[in-house]
Amino acid sequence: MTSTWKLTAHAPKLVVQAALLAHDLVDDWDYELVIAGREEAEDKPDDWVLEGWFPRKPGKVEKAALSGLFDGPAPKITVEELPPEDWVTLSQHYAPPIRAGRFHVHTPDYPADPDLIDFVIPASQAFGTGQHKTTAGCLEMLGHMKASGVIARNVADIGTGTGLLGFAALALWPRALCTLTDIDAVCVGVVEENARLNAVPMGGSAGEAVMIVADGMDDPLLQLRGPYDLLIANILAGPLVSLAPDFAKAVPPGGSLLLAGLLAGEQEAAVKRAMHRAGFRMAARLQRGDWAILWLRRRRVR
């Protein structure tokens, strides 16, 4: 296993959030350079860090790309080589279980909760173990949608990562068709293993999940299996804005759209505007930390 290199920049919360928003708007970003922002510590909510990970030793180009996300003078960027280990897996291995509405999600290190809909999701290279507030918020919103009377017969989870949100939808609507997609091919093996661990059947029939490697909605099988009366997309604000017209084509009037991966504030406002133009209206909203989770419905034709 090769080493990973980490770039780090410390700045106030609003500065880092503005840099994340700028990243969403860069069309030619080198996606080998993966970035994320977070609090430095729970007791310092206004002190944030912008982190980037690169599979090779970063040079002037990678440092300049990270610095260019900041409006004005960029903070100092430090670079360190991480040991040749699966650092994502190690960082999540002992992550505590989470309870999100009707769901309990945990790694194999912890026991199941028989009183809730239980999922075991090992730490992996894919996003969506339930630890991030956006994933947990989507689980909560799915439960709220079910309690509100939503009927989902055909579900798509775009950018599924571990498969968790698609599995959760199948648990709530067990006879639905379920299509899972991700741009990253590594997710195929992750999803298949998680399906096995949670007794989620893989296949093309009702009550089963199909996994597709796809960039957004641009895939013939994904389009063939639509339209989707429940489409889930926990990705990033920039792609959500770009995909709004495609979502409108994939979700029929009265259908539901569950969106996450966007910061409350400017990112949320931009996504809402795009979805409104595409024919969606707000049904409900959750906020978990700095992250907004949106349930929208496609307007019915009168």
Side-chain angles (χ1 to χ4, degrees):
M1 187 174 291
T2 59
S3 298
T4 297
W5 292 78
K6 181 180 177 183
L7 303 89
T8 304
H10 298 269
K13 171 182 174 179
L14 293 179
V15 173
V16 172
Q17 289 184 343
L20 291 171
L21 178 59
H23 167 261
D24 288 347
L25 301 176
V26 177
D27 292 329
D28 58 349
W29 185 263
D30 179 0
Y31 283 98
E32 282 195 304
L33 177 56
V34 178
I35 73 165
R38 62 174 177 83
E39 295 177 355
E40 289 194 33
E42 288 188 6
D43 59 345
K44 297 180 179 179
D46 293 324
D47 295 336
W48 275 45
V49 57
L50 182 67
E51 296 171 314
W53 296 270
F54 200 65
R56 299 175 295 280
K57 185 176 181 178
K60 293 181 179 179
V61 172
E62 289 74 34
K63 293 179 184 178
L66 202 66
S67 297
L69 297 177
F70 293 94
D71 184 13
K76 179 182 178 182
I77 296 175
T78 60
V79 176
E80 63 177 315
E81 183 180 9
L82 301 179
E85 297 175 320
D86 186 348
W87 56 269
V88 174
T89 297
L90 290 174
S91 68
Q92 296 176 350
H93 190 68
Y94 293 105
I98 67 157
R99 176 171 179 164
R102 300 172 62 173
F103 298 95
H104 178 255
V105 185
H106 59 98
T107 66
D109 308 286
Y110 295 91
D113 186 336
D115 297 324
L116 296 171
I117 300 173
D118 192 89
F119 288 108
V120 54
I121 303 291
S124 73
Q125 292 179 319
F127 180 82
T129 60
Q131 295 299 320
H132 197 278
K133 289 182 173 64
T134 60
T135 308
C138 284
L139 292 172
E140 288 186 61
M141 187 66 88
L142 285 170
H144 174 66
M145 294 165 72
K146 174 71 174 182
S148 299
V150 168
I151 298 173
R153 299 182 179 89
N154 197 0
V155 177
D157 180 11
I158 310 301
T160 191
T162 63
L164 175 58
L165 295 179
F167 297 166
L170 271 182
L172 295 174
W173 295 280
R175 295 301 299 163
L177 295 168
C178 184
T179 307
L180 313 174
T181 80
D182 204 283
I183 194 172
D184 191 346
V186 75
C187 294
V188 175
V190 172
V191 167
E192 289 175 347
E193 175 61 13
N194 289 339
R196 184 189 66 81
L197 289 173
N198 292 283
V200 176
M202 299 293 290
S205 301
E208 299 177 340
V210 165
M211 179 65 196
I212 302 171
V213 177
D215 183 358
M217 303 298 293
D218 188 18
D219 180 86
L221 181 56
L222 177 61
Q223 295 169 8
L224 180 65
R225 286 174 61 85
Y228 302 96
D229 45 22
L230 171 56
L231 191 150
I232 306 164
N234 180 15
I235 45 178
L236 293 170
L240 288 176
V241 170
S242 300
L243 286 167
D246 292 330
F247 289 164
K249 295 175 184 176
V251 176
S256 291
L257 186 61
L258 175 55
L259 304 180
L262 52 141
L263 291 164
E266 292 183 18
Q267 289 189 2
E268 179 182 1
V271 170
K272 284 181 176 177
R273 285 194 297 270
M275 297 304 158
H276 181 76
R277 287 194 296 268
F280 291 95
R281 60 177 177 81
M282 284 293 302
R285 175 188 185 275
L286 292 175
Q287 184 168 337
R288 295 295 176 262
D290 295 303
W291 301 92
I293 295 90
L294 308 180
W295 169 21
L296 303 101
R297 302 198 79 157
R298 178 91 187 280
R299 287 194 290 269
R300 296 183 184 275
V301 178
R302 295 182 179 179

